[in-house]
């Protein structure tokens, strides 16, 4: 979300790139708490809030303050949370990979409303909530399931348009 290279983020966190890569691996064992502290502080200093998992919802990330970004701007981050390629999301959503790439680039004059809704819905079905920006916090993404592993498909969880 910050648009930083791994080496840039590692430098801001005063850790090595290899330590950062280790922290990003899903198969990691117990990570170094000092490295996590420094990484979280660097991300926080750049304007993002890391959202902890609860019993009801999973972890996530969002801008600490309103940034003018729309929920559409977070589709790429939702795809990244799932580890999906463009082809994976195209298969799940029925939206072509070229359209997804164009939407994610943010270089469209007009947003294809039906396509972005299908992308948001596909991400939701796969376990990602796109968080809307409001007057207090910015947009972001969050995993739908917390450590209580409850289905959160109740009204109000799916982001408003």
């Amino acid at each position: 979300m910050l648009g930083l290279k791994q080496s840039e983020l590692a430098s801001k966190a005063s850790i090595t790139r290899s330590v950062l890569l280790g922290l990003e691996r899903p198969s990691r064992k117990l990570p170094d708490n000092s490295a996590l502290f420094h990484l979280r502080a660097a991300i926080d200093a750049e304007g993002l809030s890391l959202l902890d998992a609860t019993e009801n919802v999973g972890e996530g990330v969002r801008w600490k303050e309103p940034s003018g970004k729309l929920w559409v701007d977070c589709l790429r981050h939702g795809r990244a949370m799932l580890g999906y390629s463009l082809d994976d999301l195209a298969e799940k959503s029925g939206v072509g990979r070229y359209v997804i790439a164009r939407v994610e680039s943010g270089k469209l004059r007009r947003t294809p409303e039906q396509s972005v809704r299908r992308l948001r819905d596909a991400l939701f079905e796969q376990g990602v909530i796109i968080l809307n920006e409001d007057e207090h916090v910015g947009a972001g993404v969050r995993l739908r399931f917390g450590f209580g592993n409850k289905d959160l498909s109740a009204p109000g969880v799916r982001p408003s348009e």
Side-chain angles (χ1 to χ4, degrees), residues 17-35:
R17 184 173 175 270
S18 63
V19 168
L20 178 61
L21 290 172
L23 292 173
E24 291 179 343
R25 282 195 189 97
S27 62
R28 71 182 178 275
K29 298 211 170 134
L30 294 175
D32 177 352
N33 285 332
S34 175

Side-chain angles (χ1 to χ4, degrees), residues 2-18:
L2 295 172
L4 297 174
K5 295 178 183 174
Q6 287 174 327
S7 58
E8 294 169 330
L9 180 57
S11 176
K12 289 179 182 287
S14 301
I15 59 177
T16 65
R17 184 173 175 270
S18 63

